[in-house]
Amino acid sequence: MKFVCDKNSLLEGVNIAIRGVSSRTTLPILQGIKITARGNVIKLSGTDLEIGIECQIPAVIEEEGETVVPARIFSDLVKKLPEGEVEVKSDSQNTVNVVSGDINFSIAGSNPEEFPEIPEVSREKSFKLPQSILKDLIKKTVFCVSEEQTRPILTGVLFEVFPNELKAVALDGFRMAIYSYKSEKSFFDEEAEKYSLVIPGDTLDEISRILEDEETEVIIYHTSNQVLFQIDNTKVISRLLEGSFINYNAVLPKDFKTEITINKDVFMESLERASLIAESKNNLVKFEIGDSFIVISSSSEKGSMSEKLEVEVKGMLLEIAFNSRYLLDALKAINEEEVNLYFINSINPLIIKPVGEKEYLYMILPVKLN
Amino acid sequence: MKRKIIHVDMDAFFASIEQQDNPEYRGKPVIVGGLSGRGVVSTCSYEARKYGIHSAMPMYMAKKLCPQGIFLPVRRKRYEEVSEQIFKILYDITPFVEPVSIDEAYLDVTHVDKNPEDIALEIKKRVKDATGLTVSVGISYNKFLAKLASDWNKPDGLMVITEDMVPEILKPLPVTKVHGIGEKSAEKLRSIGIETVEDLLKLPQENLIELFGKTGVEIYNRIRGIDERPVETMREIKSIGKEKTLEKDTKNKELLIQHLKEFSEIVSEELIKERLYCRTVTVKIKTADFAVHTKSKTVDKYIRFSEDIYEVAKGILEEWKLEQYVRLIGLSVSNLSPVKYEQLSFLDKRLVKVIKAGNLAEEINKRIGKKIIKKGSELLKDNK
């Protein structure tokens, strides 16, 4: 195999493919990136068997072929090369030479035949949406997935896709994120009513790092157990989580007794102050909601703190307590300046919604105090 | 705030009780323990120690060392009886007592409004009066040093180790005096030429970790006078309170309320420290004729902040018709419950049921305008 390409495009490709490479693996070959040179592109692939990432970059192929390079060192050395053209070649022993001007690296690669095949995903069913939307959706939901493996389905985000609406839901029982995006243009090219898929949170974390804040579209192909994200020249392939998701609509409360409008940053800063004193184990912060204020307080062996914020309150007075981390996680994901908080009583969920056009919300369960 | 820790250690407890109960044994070597062939010495009197007898020594060896000694079996029941008398005295001083064994305890007297040396003298006197026994007391700012202090001049000792005495006072001690270093560890240390705490102080922390693992850090800190272990009360705390005999008898409510405010802060601090909440607040008044009156109020919610406690206490006092001059005022909280938080989850079916039931009850009560549906626990409390 032998090809010449631009250093920066090679680096970009390697940095994407490396996202699929597992850092801890028992299979040494999985610590590598497979390079395939064919036609006028090279394909860089990384996989940890859960997720596979392939990225194509343009190159002048002098000799078609393939090899596997150790991911970490290859990425590091490409980064350290000067700008301009890079020549990469490998011999039958998989010794890989990287040449740039007078610089000549020679590293030991591995046999590409040992590299696991990244499966093909049928392109029958698909939907598409702008990169920026998918990126926003992931940012606003993925942190709510369950960290516990006891119910694997909850470690993923549910995508419910209708022709003109996409809903994404993540929940771990203590909290839930619901994101809705409506589009006049159908998400589907084909005839379909609704698709439901649960994508692993880890996959979405990786994808979000690859996505750009651009309007260009991501095409998401899916089968019953696999999903393929086509993002420009990059393909991300992942398994889907199987099983039935929680009926999230059933747990969503409808009637509220107390409503507050509050500046997001003011609220966050106060919560952060309260968290300093809150017991580190459960980050317990208490709210006392009066007729035109909310008192945020915490106490632990470290001491105690309280802060009174003037806010707009509609409805009943209330005392309620939360794990501040859940609140802060949600607020951090919100871009809007103001949020509405909807309460029922001290043992029912709180709903946080941004004030504005955007349609997403967080539901957070309180901490019950004795 | 530096803590005030007292370590109380009875002197030759079992043997002393025997000498107390049997005056003819006094001044004689008394050895208590298993008398059968393989028995060991539990405790021996100080007279017996002169013969080289010590606890855990095989009984036959003790008999060989001191054939004229008075050898007695263990009367555990009797010792427990005496122990109970002594612990009663300790709990009278503070609820923060950690019983270590039948004859040994730690007290945290940080919040007792008395000089710890006076407390120690009081303990010694009251124990002597009640049981005729002597006790050695050590005072310091942590458990390790308090224990070291009680051991300083046994029997009937009283020793205070203050911050400025550390580490000088520890330096000449053999390493076995350090809590956490047993005979085996001492052996290890001896092999690298370390015999005293002074030698030990020269060892960097890494070496101690190498030698003792995790406890290495504790040992490193301990010999530098750092020991954060709390006094762990085994007994459930029933109430926390604070009271004061006034300098001058008074009928001035404003002045009394001022005291309640101060007490609320102290009590609140204790509650937070003990991770407890309370529901009942009691105000105690001793009038000039020494009659004691108390009035209590129980609130719906568990509280722990000084403002909340103060509000309730103030309310009680304000309604009180003071007919006599007040000599002593006190405040206590009871009906205590540990801090228990429950992060609710909508996936927890049990919790969902509780929430649904709670919502339904609330709805019904509101419609009827009366709390006719209550929790079982509330009903139980109502019936008490």
Side-chain angles (χ1 to χ4, degrees):
Chain A
M1 181 198 72
K2 187 174 176 189
F3 65 86
V4 177
C5 69
D6 174 59
K7 175 237 167 173
N8 285 328
S9 29
L10 181 60
L11 182 62
E12 209 186 303
V14 169
N15 283 345
I16 288 174
I18 210 169
R19 302 220 148 273
V21 176
S22 131
S23 47
R24 285 177 302 233
T25 176
T26 44
L27 263 177
I29 191 78
L30 295 182
Q31 286 168 4
I33 288 174
K34 182 177 165 187
I35 304 176
T36 311
R38 202 142 289 150
N40 51 9
V41 291
I42 58 161
K43 187 167 83 182
L44 301 151
S45 317
T47 182
D48 64 358
L49 300 179
E50 292 279 319
I51 180 173
I53 299 180
E54 288 179 4
C55 180
Q56 292 192 345
I57 58 161
V60 178
I61 312 288
E62 290 179 17
E63 189 194 328
E64 291 193 338
E66 52 187 27
T67 189
V68 173
V69 292
R72 185 54 53 200
I73 187 151
F74 189 71
S75 143
D76 287 346
L77 77 83
V78 174
K79 195 187 297 167
K80 295 288 178 203
L81 292 177
E83 304 287 301
E85 280 188 349
V86 187
E87 182 194 276
V88 181
K89 61 179 177 190
S90 70
D91 61 16
S92 58
Q93 301 302 305
N94 289 301
T95 301
V96 180
N97 274 306
V98 182
V99 183
S100 163
D102 295 330
I103 306 162
N104 192 334
F105 276 103
S106 177
I107 54 172
S110 312
N111 182 358
E113 277 163 24
E114 286 172 24
F115 198 83
E117 200 68 43
I118 294 176
E120 270 302 315
V121 175
S122 147
R123 310 215 166 191
E124 262 172 57
K125 294 191 219 161
S126 70
F127 60 95
K128 52 190 177 187
L129 69 161
Q131 284 201 38
S132 57
I133 298 294
L134 183 57
K135 197 175 166 80
D136 191 47
L137 176 155
I138 295 172
K139 178 192 156 200
K140 289 184 164 69
T141 55
V142 78
F143 65 87
C144 288
V145 302
S146 173
E147 284 164 15
E148 285 181 32
Q149 290 302 326
T150 45
R151 296 175 86 160
I153 191 84
L154 299 183
T155 61
V157 177
L158 168 73
F159 281 63
E160 279 189 331
V161 201
F162 305 91
N164 299 93
E165 187 184 10
L166 166 66
K167 270 189 153 179
V169 182
L171 62 92
D172 65 2
F174 308 124
R175 52 183 167 171
M176 169 162 76
I178 302 182
Y179 183 97
S180 161
Y181 170 68
K182 291 194 176 95
S183 156
E184 292 194 2
K185 195 182 117 198
S186 174
F187 297 120
F188 306 151
D189 284 335
E190 63 272 15
E191 281 287 318
E193 277 181 10
K194 181 193 171 186
Y195 293 136
S196 280
L197 40 152
V198 182
I199 303 171
D202 294 341
T203 302
L204 293 172
D205 275 331
E206 294 303 342
I207 284 170
S208 133
R209 294 195 177 97
I210 296 167
L211 291 167
E212 304 281 348
D213 258 327
E214 286 172 5
E215 289 310 300
T216 51
E217 286 186 321
V218 186
I219 310 172
I220 300 157
Y221 301 98
H222 53 99
T223 65
S224 61
N225 54 15
Q226 279 179 328
V227 62
L228 159 62
F229 290 79
Q230 179 79 54
I231 310 160
D232 298 329
N233 293 322
T234 302
K235 281 198 287 188
V236 180
I237 293 112
S238 160
R239 71 193 169 95
L240 286 173
L241 296 172
E242 288 170 80
S244 55
F245 205 76
I246 304 289
N247 178 2
Y248 62 90
N249 273 317
V251 292
L252 203 60
K254 305 283 184 293
D255 298 319
F256 302 97
K257 302 273 164 68
T258 309
E259 183 184 333
I260 292 180
T261 308
I262 189 167
N263 178 287
K264 185 199 70 181
D265 289 336
V266 169
F267 190 26
M268 267 179 76
E269 280 164 21
S270 173
L271 283 170
E272 276 162 2
R273 278 189 283 272
S275 306
L276 294 176
I277 294 293
E279 279 180 47
S280 36
K281 207 180 108 204
N282 44 33
N283 309 302
L284 190 84
V285 295
K286 280 197 235 171
F287 294 171
E288 183 197 330
I289 300 165
D291 47 16
S292 62
F293 62 85
I294 174 169
V295 177
I296 296 174
S297 66
S298 65
S299 72
S300 68
E301 282 140 348
K302 291 173 226 161
S304 65
M305 99 56 99
S306 82
E307 182 172 358
K308 189 173 176 177
L309 301 174
E310 300 290 329
V311 290
E312 208 181 296
V313 180
K314 279 184 230 156
M316 289 186 7
L317 311 187
L318 176 71
E319 278 186 53
I320 191 167
F322 290 98
N323 179 337
S324 67
R325 187 169 70 88
Y326 295 157
L327 298 168
L328 284 167
D329 281 353
L331 293 168
K332 271 179 204 149
I334 293 174
N335 315 60
E336 284 73 8
E337 216 169 279
E338 290 205 304
V339 291
N340 281 329
L341 312 178
Y342 302 91
F343 301 90
I344 300 169
N345 58 27
S346 65
I347 50 168
N348 266 285
L350 153 71
I351 302 286
I352 305 180
K353 270 188 195 171
V355 175
E357 306 272 294
K358 282 287 193 64
E359 285 194 49
Y360 60 97
L361 65 84
Y362 296 101
M363 175 171 114
I364 297 169
L365 274 282
V367 174
K368 189 169 153 243
L369 297 178
N370 281 1
Chain B
M1 182 169 53
K2 276 276 167 237
R3 294 181 296 162
K4 294 176 204 157
I5 308 294
I6 292 182
H7 182 250
V8 177
D9 197 5
M10 298 303 299
D11 300 319
F13 191 51
F14 297 176
S16 301
I17 293 175
E18 294 299 347
Q19 288 178 322
Q20 203 54 42
D21 289 354
N22 307 285
E24 67 273 22
Y25 298 159
R26 293 182 194 169
K28 294 189 179 135
V30 173
I31 299 104
V32 181
L35 298 182
S36 64
R38 293 186 301 176
V40 293
V41 177
S42 290
T43 319
C44 59
S45 69
Y46 285 89
E47 294 83 5
R49 293 184 195 191
K50 284 178 195 145
Y51 294 87
I53 300 172
H54 56 78
S55 49
M57 172 183 277
M59 195 54 85
Y60 74 89
M61 203 186 268
K63 282 184 179 158
K64 212 185 270 175
L65 285 170
C66 181
Q68 72 277 36
I70 298 158
F71 292 88
L72 300 168
V74 178
R75 288 192 297 152
R76 185 154 286 275
K77 225 170 162 196
R78 170 66 185 140
Y79 308 150
E80 277 168 2
E81 213 175 272
V82 179
S83 174
E84 206 170 296
Q85 275 180 292
I86 294 160
F87 273 96
K88 225 176 207 163
I89 295 167
L90 302 182
Y91 280 118
D92 225 18
I93 288 159
T94 175
F96 305 113
V97 176
E98 176 181 335
V100 179
S101 67
I102 192 167
D103 63 348
E104 190 187 342
Y106 289 102
L107 279 73
D108 186 336
V109 294
T110 314
H111 293 278
V112 177
D113 197 15
K114 277 182 201 160
N115 182 327
E117 281 171 83
D118 291 340
I119 298 172
L121 289 170
E122 186 188 329
I123 292 171
K124 289 169 76 76
K125 182 173 184 313
R126 288 180 63 180
V127 170
K128 181 90 188 173
D129 289 351
T131 65
L133 303 176
T134 63
V135 47
S136 292
V137 181
I139 303 167
S140 195
Y141 54 94
N142 66 39
K143 279 164 81 170
F144 165 58
L145 294 172
K147 189 176 164 78
L148 212 61
S150 73
D151 197 34
W152 209 266
N153 42 16
K154 262 182 163 301
D156 206 10
L158 172 59
M159 170 76 179
V160 186
I161 297 179
T162 55
E163 244 184 307
D164 51 321
M165 294 157 83
V166 179
E168 280 315 307
I169 191 165
L170 308 177
K171 281 184 177 172
L173 299 177
V175 290
T176 46
K177 287 273 183 188
V178 179
H179 182 82
I181 301 183
E183 244 339 292
K184 271 193 183 154
S185 306
E187 197 72 47
K188 261 195 228 173
L189 289 170
R190 217 167 290 135
S191 71
I192 52 169
I194 289 170
E195 306 256 357
T196 63
V197 173
E198 186 168 18
D199 303 332
L200 200 56
L201 277 164
K202 288 174 193 148
L203 271 195
Q205 196 172 355
E206 300 84 81
N207 289 10
L208 281 168
I209 293 169
E210 252 170 64
L211 282 166
F212 302 116
K214 251 191 193 162
T215 43
V217 182
E218 282 161 26
I219 291 168
Y220 179 88
N221 285 332
R222 233 161 250 172
I223 56 175
R224 285 164 177 78
I226 303 163
D227 176 14
E228 301 293 346
R229 286 174 302 154
V231 169
E232 287 177 71
T233 52
M234 310 268 270
R235 198 176 76 155
E236 203 185 332
I237 302 170
K238 294 246 166 62
S239 75
I240 293 173
K242 175 83 191 160
E243 59 182 45
K244 197 173 186 174
T245 303
L246 304 169
E247 281 176 15
K248 230 174 94 186
D249 296 1
T250 185
K251 264 187 166 177
N252 181 346
K253 273 195 185 175
E254 286 310 314
L255 195 82
L256 294 172
I257 285 173
Q258 214 37 52
H259 282 295
L260 291 180
K261 187 166 189 176
E262 185 197 320
F263 296 167
S264 301
E265 278 160 21
I266 295 165
V267 166
S268 167
E269 223 173 89
E270 281 303 358
L271 281 172
I272 291 168
K273 193 174 132 214
E274 291 304 311
R275 310 173 59 127
L276 290 170
Y277 280 80
C278 69
R279 271 187 64 206
T280 303
V281 178
T282 302
V283 175
K284 172 179 170 184
I285 281 175
K286 197 191 266 178
T287 42
D289 57 357
F290 284 86
V292 175
H293 312 268
T294 59
K295 280 187 184 170
S296 301
K297 195 172 175 185
T298 300
V299 293
D300 293 339
K301 277 185 321 187
Y302 278 99
I303 54 174
R304 74 174 350 173
F305 289 120
S306 63
E307 292 87 334
D308 296 339
I309 296 166
Y310 171 63
E311 269 316 308
V312 180
K314 193 173 131 197
I316 295 172
L317 190 66
E318 270 168 355
E319 284 173 17
W320 205 318
K321 277 191 195 128
L322 292 179
E323 280 156 6
Q324 291 211 18
Y325 278 94
V326 176
R327 182 187 158 78
L328 171 149
I329 176 119
L331 166 73
S332 67
V333 294
S334 52
N335 218 336
L336 308 178
S337 166
V339 184
K340 262 194 221 144
Y341 315 118
E342 193 162 19
Q343 169 65 60
L344 301 176
S345 162
F346 54 85
L347 297 178
D348 185 334
K349 291 211 176 78
R350 184 182 58 85
L351 281 177
V352 171
K353 271 187 198 156
V354 170
I355 293 170
K356 277 190 182 156
N359 288 345
L360 198 62
E362 198 182 83
E363 193 62 36
I364 293 170
N365 287 339
K366 200 177 286 164
R367 275 196 208 166
I368 291 177
K370 221 171 117 187
K371 199 166 183 186
I372 61 159
I373 298 184
K374 294 180 186 185
K375 284 184 198 155
S377 57
E378 287 172 328
L379 285 173
L380 285 175
K381 269 174 200 148
D382 290 352
N383 289 336
K384 262 183 200 166

